[in-house]
């Protein structure tokens, strides 16, 4: 998991949940994809968090990815989210009703980042938002980097915004 | 230049053009910034191209960055651009009138990438578009990666799109 890695979207389809099971998929009628898909890999990386997950994302709207953040929060991972002032209500409801900390950039410029820092050790960054469109059909990329000097720079950027942005 | 590197925006201001000159800036009234700024570094990386520059960018609208692509083209660098079907006319005019190859994604989904591949050796990717807003005030990040297996993946992605997208 220390390797630099890249994910491209869109996927061909949904990855079969049995793909990585011990016996694999035995259903000859299964219509899911039996090759690795980027969304499944993104979810796997997010779920690997054990201590913290800092999400700094222009748009956070995908229920499927929000569910993962809630799952992390429920098992004790410290989840913090920063978003732009787009779609604030939806994000506020979905995340805050589950007890997850959220801050918004309410300035007139855009908080246009799309990055996640996991356990202060891994950065995911690229064009991909946690949006509905990002999920399915857009051409997008995410690069995963774990070099300490790079990760530290993103941690500092996140913490600076966390300090600046009020609680709404 | 082989190091992984990250740039954050917005800059504090314009970098003084004399900052990296031999004698530095001697003008006591100079109002430019005398510390490294991200836009100046981005321009420096783009100008380092000697063979090719493949730009795959949701929005290409910054005249300042377009001027650099034209400069590369004029000194024989093979410049190819892919953009989404936003602001097509402006991009078409600025780039094609200078003889630079441009293709557009005209599908209903978004070609939402924001990456550049330089000399098939360096990738720049992140949230930053070659847009007017990206230039000045938005919070943005670009990571520069030069690991061959990562760069090759972006080259393949670019070439696939180049094959798919028609000439308009
Ligand atoms: Zn299956
Ligand atoms: Zn100066």
């Amino acid at each position: 998991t220390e390797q630099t890695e890249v994910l491209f979207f869109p996927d061909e389809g949904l990855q079969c949940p049995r793909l990585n099971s011990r016996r694999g998929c035995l259903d000859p009628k299964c219509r899911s994809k039996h090759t690795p898909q980027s969304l499944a890999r993104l979810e796997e990386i997010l779920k690997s968090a054990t201590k913290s997950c800092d999400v700094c994302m222009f748009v956070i709207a995908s229920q499927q990815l929000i569910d993962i953040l809630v799952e992390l929060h429920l098992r004790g991972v410290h989840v913090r989210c920063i978003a732009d002032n787009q779609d604030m209500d939806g994000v506020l409801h979905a995340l805050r009703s589950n007890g997850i900390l959220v801050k918004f950039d309410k300035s007139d410029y855009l908080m246009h980042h799309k990055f996640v820092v996991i356990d202060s050790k891994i950065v995911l960054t690229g064009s991909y938002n946690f949006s509905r469109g990002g999920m399915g059909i857009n051409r997008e990329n995410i690069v995963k980097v774990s070099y300490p000097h790079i990760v530290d720079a993103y941690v500092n950027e996140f913490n600076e915004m966390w300090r600046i942005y009020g609680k709404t």
Side-chain angles (χ1 to χ4, degrees), chain A:
Chain A
T1 59
E2 292 297 313
Q3 285 298 137
T4 307
E5 178 179 340
V6 63
L7 303 176
F8 289 106
F9 297 85
D11 284 329
E12 293 161 46
L14 284 178
Q15 182 177 312
C16 175
R18 293 178 289 267
L19 179 65
N20 294 322
S21 69
R22 194 165 53 86
R23 305 182 63 188
C25 179
L26 301 175
D27 179 358
K29 288 186 187 151
C30 178
R31 303 289 296 269
S32 300
K33 297 297 165 185
H34 297 94
T35 50
Q37 302 293 312
S38 292
L39 180 58
R41 178 62 184 143
L42 170 62
E43 294 185 356
E44 186 177 55
I45 296 169
L46 292 172
K47 287 179 182 175
S48 75
T50 60
K51 297 194 185 80
S52 64
C53 184
D54 291 334
V55 178
C56 183
M57 215 30 83
F58 181 53
V59 180
I60 304 179
S62 151
Q63 191 58 52
Q64 191 172 344
L65 293 173
I66 287 172
D67 286 348
I68 291 180
L69 300 180
V70 172
E71 180 188 320
L72 293 177
H73 172 70
L74 292 176
R75 67 166 149 85
V77 174
H78 190 222
V79 179
R80 297 186 296 175
C81 295
I82 293 174
D84 199 61
N85 55 0
Q86 312 273 329
D87 193 28
M88 278 177 63
D89 292 344
V91 180
L92 272 172
H93 181 74
L95 291 167
R96 286 199 178 152
S97 67
N98 281 284
I100 293 178
L101 301 167
V102 188
K103 291 190 178 184
F104 290 95
D105 169 29
K106 282 170 291 178
S107 71
D108 291 336
Y109 59 80
L110 299 182
M111 198 303 292
H112 198 240
H113 287 312
K114 306 105 170 48
F115 74 80
V116 181
V117 185
I118 295 166
D119 293 341
S120 303
K121 283 188 179 165
I122 290 171
V123 166
L124 301 172
T125 191
S127 66
Y128 189 94
N129 280 296
F130 284 10
S131 63
R132 295 177 187 89
M135 298 291 294
I137 51 176
N138 294 344
R139 288 244 174 204
E140 309 272 5
N141 72 91
I142 300 175
V143 66
K144 169 176 161 279
V145 180
S146 50
Y147 296 92
H149 72 287
I150 299 294
V151 175
D152 289 353
Y154 281 95
V155 167
N156 290 343
E157 175 75 0
F158 190 95
N159 287 338
E160 182 185 318
M161 285 183 283
W162 195 255
R163 203 169 52 239
I164 292 170
Y165 298 150
K167 245 198 155 183
T168 311

